[in-house]
Each structure stands twice: as structure tokens, then as C-alpha cells.
Amino acid sequence: MNGPQTLAAAGVLRTRMGAFWPGQRAVFRGRDLHRELRDSDWLALYVYGVTGRHFTPPQLKLLHAIWVITSYPDTRLWNNRVAGLAGTVRSSPTLGLAAAIAVSEATIYGGGAGLRAYDFITRAAAAVAGGADLREFVSREVASRYLYGYGRPIHRNDERLAWLAQVAEEQGFGSGKHFRLAFEVGKTLAAIGRPNLRMNYAGMVAPLGADLGLSRREFQLFRVPLFFAGMPPCWLEAADKPEGTLFPTPCDKIAYEGVAERPWRK
Amino acid sequence: MSPAASEPRLSDVDPADVVHTRIWREVAEPDNPFATRAAYCRGYDVFGQMAGRARWVEMMFLLFRDDLPGNAALDTLEALAVALANPGPRDPSVHAAMCGGVGGSNAAASLMAALAVGAGRHRGARDVFDAMTAWQACGTDVAAWTDHVRRDTRAEVDVWPPRERPPGFDPHGVSTPTPVRQLLATLAAIAATPYLSWLAQHRQDLEAALGLPLELSGVAAAALSDLGFTPAEGEMLYLLLRLPGAAAHALEQEKLGYKRFPFYPVELADDPAAEETP
């Protein structure tokens, strides 16, 4: 088929993902939502929607912990601040929270960093499995690009790691191939003279995701609500305080570094 | 009142808590540091001198650079803005905005929907970003374009889905649509610019080499490149310039109501009910 024929044939939604019949039933990836899945844990349903696979209780506990341990209701954080600013200007909570989630797909943290950390650790695992020397691999990576999963722009120590590692161990994922390799990478970085590049949260979440069998795209989708639980409190408190009072910026807190005042040309 | 916990700060953030900018300066009213007495964009008094005298496209340029361009660049951006203002109700970004409007979603939600759907690599702002990157890399060298679009990008890690075709070209097209040719000719006639002028003359060569017809996003990418915008700036402008139509169509569908808005038939594979009754 050429282009227009392809488009003309696409006027019907042909899907394996699901549909609903008003007044009757709804299907969610091959399962009757109400008959079979109504008691599902929300995250379990979410990752079933992402992967089409069902996860075991220990796997779900780990996935829950990944979300919970980084749910910080600190309104200063850039993504949370969007939710807070929406509250202070009396915008709707849905708008503020949706924008805050969208902003979380960032480069130096959040979605982009998580994806690149996943890419790094899975490539490292493949390289090592193929016989590569980890020290050489890591040295080459550090020399050629920004290493995601190690180093933290805001602080060297990542307070979340010990807690997540504990859950991973408790749930039986401490010996996962990528998880163990992530620590080896950390040691290697110290050994090659990059001790500041300590593992960060993305550097631990990514190997756990890989050990759970999530593909890169599945991992990206799993991470979407990662910070979400911390956001509603930010909107709420700002909405409860007098309007416009969250981080108001006086004129003299703008450091202007541009061209001097000049008359309009016409 | 109990004392607050010791204030946690980020170790490498400037504690001055000021916003640095070379775009905008505001002078406060004497009685209120939060009220503006005068606002300056790149040194020009916005409310005292620009409003009422400046063209909208002049303001757009000044937001992105220190100095105003010549009239030809202003005319080019204005012509592009008119052409892009409404992608039309068949466009996915406007379709998304109408999905907001028809259900009575918030105005911002409809525009956020248009932005999200209009951001992508198919007919969206990321396509413009990719195409502007290609102009930077390849210029007017057709062989460089073919190499660029055929290069292996599997190692690139991006939050966007992988690119599936040459950016700025229509994967479902047969020939170059009339509006694409009209806009290209109009923009290329405004001034002799490196990319638009070349594209107007060599469009068919490039299309033949890449195997697809040029799309509006490809014309926009050439124009925005000629105007000196970076791919990141071009991506932003493409998102902005297509929003007016999304707004208008969302409001129109809200008035018309959901009963007159398409809902489409569905064919569900993997239906558990079908398995139960073979």
C-alpha cells in the first residue's frame, strides 16, 4: 500500500490493548477489567498495561519502593515547583500536576537521566557478557560521554540508595546481574580516579528495572509517575496559602546581564 | 513555633537565589519591589515604547536574540507565522486540542494536549528540530542529506521514539502538496537566503534522493534555519506558532458538542469474551 492507502485503511481502531462497551464491559490487554482485574493493585495494573506481563508480589514490592523512596514533597525541586506554582496562582491541580510530570522528563534528572542510565548499564552488561573488560569499558564511557547513573548534580551522596538497596535485598533481587554490575561500576569509577562519580538513584533504579526484564521503553513508561506522590502536597500547600506568595520574585532578584537601555528604533 | 530543621541546600547551587537573564529587566515602582515601573526587553522599553509601535514578530526576534534583524527576516517570520497558525482540524495536534474542547476540558489542557501531540517526530516540533539539525549538518549537499538520514541512529538514547524517516518529509506523501510548494515559493521570494532559496530550486532533487515529498515542517525548518535560529529555538517557535488554531478549534468543538465529534469504530483483537464463545 502507498501512503494514502495506508491512511485510508486506518479509519478503524484495530487494537489488542483494550476497549469498552458502554453499559456492558471493559477489556484491558486481553483481560476483563472488572471480572478479572478489579482487585488489582494500581501499580500492578499499571505495569501490566505497560508490559502485558504480570509481576510477582516481590517484584511489585520493589517497583512500589522505587516510586515511594523518591516521592519528595519538597516544593523547591524544579518539577515539584511547577505543581506549587500552579497552586499559588490558583490554577487547577490537574493542570499543575500534569505539567509537573511533563517537566520530570528532564535531562539532568528524571526521565532522560533514567533512560540513559538504563542504556549505560545494559550496554555495560552486554559488553561484559561479551568478554569486555569492565575497567576498559567504563574508562571509555567516562572519556567519551556524560555518564548517567553516577554523580549527582546537586549532592554527592544519594540518600535514597541504602533504602532501595535494602528493599531489593529483602525481595530477593540483590544478586541480579545488572544490580551487582552497577556496584562494580561504582568501584571501577573510584579505581580509575573518578570517586566523585558515585552511584545515584537512576544508577540503581535502572539496573533493577533491567533485572526485572523491563525493556528500555517499558522502563521509560514505568518511570513516568516516579515522583508523582510528592507533587500533590506541593500544590495543596501553595493553594492554601495566600495567593501569589510561593517564591515571589522582586525586581531586584533578576540579575540582568544584557544590552543597556536604548530607545526604540522608530 | 518549633524551630525548623536545619535548612537543607543543594551543594552546588548559588545561594543568591537570583534569576540571571540577558532578555529582560524590570525596574520596580518606588513603593513596591514586586510591582513593575518599567520593563525592558533587550534594552527596549516594552510598555513605554514598544507596545503600539513594534510588530509582534519584532518582539519574537528580540526574545531570542539581542538585536533586531532586517525587514526581510521580519517579513519571513510573519509569513511563516500566518502559514503555521492553524494546522487544521485534521492535524493530530489540533485533533488533541479538540479532544480537550469537546469534553469541556480546561483551556490550558487543550493547549497542553496540542503541545504534547504537536511536539513529536511526525508532523511535530521534534521533526523541525531534526530537520534543522540536518540543515546544520548537511547544508545544501544532497549526498550529505542522504548519508545523514541513512546513518545508524540506534545508539542514540533519547526520550523521543527513534526517527523513522528523513525529517521534514512526509512518510505518507505521494507528491509535494500545493501549500508546501506555495509557502516555499513565498518565503524564498522574500529574500535570497541560503537554504530556502536553494530548496526552492532543488526541492525535487532532494525529494528524489530521499524518496519522500517535502512537508510543511521541512519548509519551516529551512526558514527557521535561514533566520538564524538554533534547532532548539526552532522547535520552540514551531510549537508556539501552531497553537492559535488549536485554541480556536478546541473552543469550536466545545460549542458543537461530543455528539457531532468522531468516536470511530473499534475492532478488538484478544477479546476474552470472544475466547469464551468460539
Side-chain angles (χ1 to χ4, degrees):
Chain A
M1 284 197 291
N2 67 14
Q5 288 169 328
T6 305
L7 296 179
V12 175
L13 176 64
R14 293 185 176 85
T15 176
R16 302 184 67 81
M17 289 302 174
F20 90 112
W21 287 261
Q24 298 175 41
R25 64 196 177 95
V27 174
F28 191 111
R29 290 201 79 155
R31 309 286 297 275
D32 187 301
L33 179 66
H34 304 125
R35 288 176 190 275
E36 300 178 69
L37 300 172
R38 67 180 177 281
D39 291 329
S40 176
D41 169 83
W42 186 84
L43 185 147
L45 183 69
Y46 182 76
V47 291
Y48 176 62
V50 169
T51 65
R53 302 190 298 275
H54 291 288
F55 287 75
T56 65
Q59 289 174 325
L60 290 170
K61 277 200 172 178
L62 178 61
L63 291 170
H64 267 290
I66 290 171
W67 281 2
V68 167
I69 287 170
T70 195
S71 296
Y72 289 3
D74 185 329
T75 305
R76 298 171 308 162
L77 294 165
W78 307 305
N79 48 355
N80 287 0
R81 203 184 302 180
V82 174
L85 289 168
T88 201
V89 302
R90 306 300 188 251
S91 185
S92 93
T94 307
L95 290 173
L97 297 174
I101 285 195
V103 163
S104 302
E105 192 170 61
T107 300
I108 65 170
Y109 76 100
L115 202 61
R116 290 177 179 89
Y118 178 98
D119 174 69
F120 166 73
I121 200 66
T122 50
R123 279 190 301 107
V128 169
D133 178 70
L134 182 62
R135 187 182 174 110
E136 281 178 25
F137 180 85
V138 171
S139 300
R140 204 165 51 243
E141 287 285 318
V142 169
S144 64
R145 64 176 90 187
Y146 189 93
L147 190 67
Y148 285 90
Y150 297 85
R152 198 180 185 196
I154 53 175
H155 202 280
R156 278 176 63 188
N157 291 318
D158 196 317
E159 67 286 347
R160 297 164 289 189
L161 296 188
W163 302 104
L164 182 58
Q166 185 182 331
V167 176
E169 294 284 352
E170 287 169 355
Q171 299 304 319
F173 300 100
S175 58
K177 179 178 76 172
H178 297 90
F179 186 65
R180 289 169 65 94
L181 182 63
F183 287 98
E184 290 302 313
V185 169
K187 287 180 200 163
T188 305
L189 285 165
I192 63 172
R194 304 299 295 270
N196 284 343
L197 291 180
R198 296 187 194 176
M199 187 191 294
N200 59 33
Y201 199 61
M204 184 174 284
V205 169
L208 289 171
D211 284 339
L212 289 173
L214 298 175
S215 69
R216 192 163 89 183
R217 190 160 66 165
E218 290 169 350
F219 179 69
Q220 184 181 16
L221 285 164
F222 159 70
R223 289 187 81 277
V224 170
L226 189 71
F227 308 116
F228 188 59
M231 293 170 175
C234 301
W235 182 90
L236 203 60
E237 186 172 65
D240 281 343
K241 288 180 178 175
E243 59 185 305
T245 58
L246 178 69
F247 301 137
T249 307
C251 292
D252 64 2
K253 283 285 187 181
I254 301 295
Y256 179 65
E257 297 159 354
V259 294
E261 188 178 336
R262 51 187 167 172
W264 183 245
R265 62 178 185 164
K266 292 170 186 169
Chain B
M1 205 171 143
S2 63
S6 62
E7 187 193 13
R9 292 202 71 107
L10 306 184
S11 61
D12 58 355
V13 172
D14 181 356
D17 287 337
V18 299
V19 176
H20 297 265
T21 175
R22 57 178 299 111
I23 300 170
W24 200 261
R25 181 171 75 95
E26 289 181 45
V27 178
E29 290 285 5
D31 62 350
N32 184 353
F34 295 94
T36 307
R37 181 165 63 81
Y40 298 89
C41 182
R42 310 278 184 186
Y44 295 117
D45 184 340
V46 176
F47 296 94
Q49 293 190 16
M50 283 184 73
R53 295 186 181 91
R55 291 166 69 179
W56 186 77
V57 286
E58 288 177 312
M59 187 59 164
M60 291 299 285
F61 268 108
L62 282 177
L63 287 169
F64 288 90
R65 63 181 66 163
D66 277 349
D67 293 305
L68 285 164
N71 285 333
L74 293 169
D75 292 344
T76 300
L77 183 60
E78 189 154 340
L80 183 65
V82 169
L84 297 182
N86 187 15
R90 297 191 310 108
D91 185 87
S93 71
V94 178
H95 192 162
M98 293 190 301
C99 286
V102 77
S105 303
N106 292 317
S110 295
L111 291 187
M112 286 161 69
L115 285 171
V117 175
R121 281 199 149 129
H122 177 67
R123 302 183 68 93
R126 200 64 187 175
D127 194 42
V128 171
F129 178 94
D130 289 341
M132 291 179 73
T133 304
W135 280 111
Q136 281 185 343
C138 311
T140 57
D141 182 341
V142 174
W145 271 87
T146 54
D147 290 345
H148 180 78
V149 302
R150 286 175 188 156
R151 75 193 192 284
D152 187 354
T153 57
R154 282 175 297 179
E156 292 176 9
V157 186
D158 209 343
V159 297
W160 305 95
R163 185 168 54 74
E164 298 175 30
R165 55 169 170 86
F169 292 81
D170 183 359
H172 302 303
V174 175
S175 61
T176 317
T178 304
V180 174
R181 289 187 279 113
Q182 288 173 319
L183 181 62
L184 177 58
T186 298
L187 296 178
I190 294 174
T193 55
Y195 298 145
L196 284 169
S197 301
W198 180 85
L199 189 59
Q201 289 177 14
H202 298 279
R203 171 182 58 80
Q204 287 164 308
D205 299 334
L206 192 55
E207 290 175 331
L210 301 178
L212 293 172
L214 187 69
E215 194 172 45
L216 218 51
S217 61
V219 180
L224 292 164
S225 298
D226 273 345
L227 291 171
F229 292 109
T230 65
E233 291 169 344
E235 182 180 28
M236 280 285 192
L237 281 167
Y238 198 71
L239 285 166
L240 281 170
L241 294 177
R242 294 184 354 136
L243 279 183
H249 282 291
L251 290 174
E252 183 180 56
Q253 292 308 315
E254 186 170 8
K255 284 189 200 135
L256 291 172
Y258 75 89
K259 291 180 182 174
R260 298 171 68 189
F261 191 66
F263 200 73
Y264 304 110
V266 64
E267 288 178 10
L268 178 66
D270 206 11
D271 182 353
E275 290 167 16
E276 287 166 13
T277 53

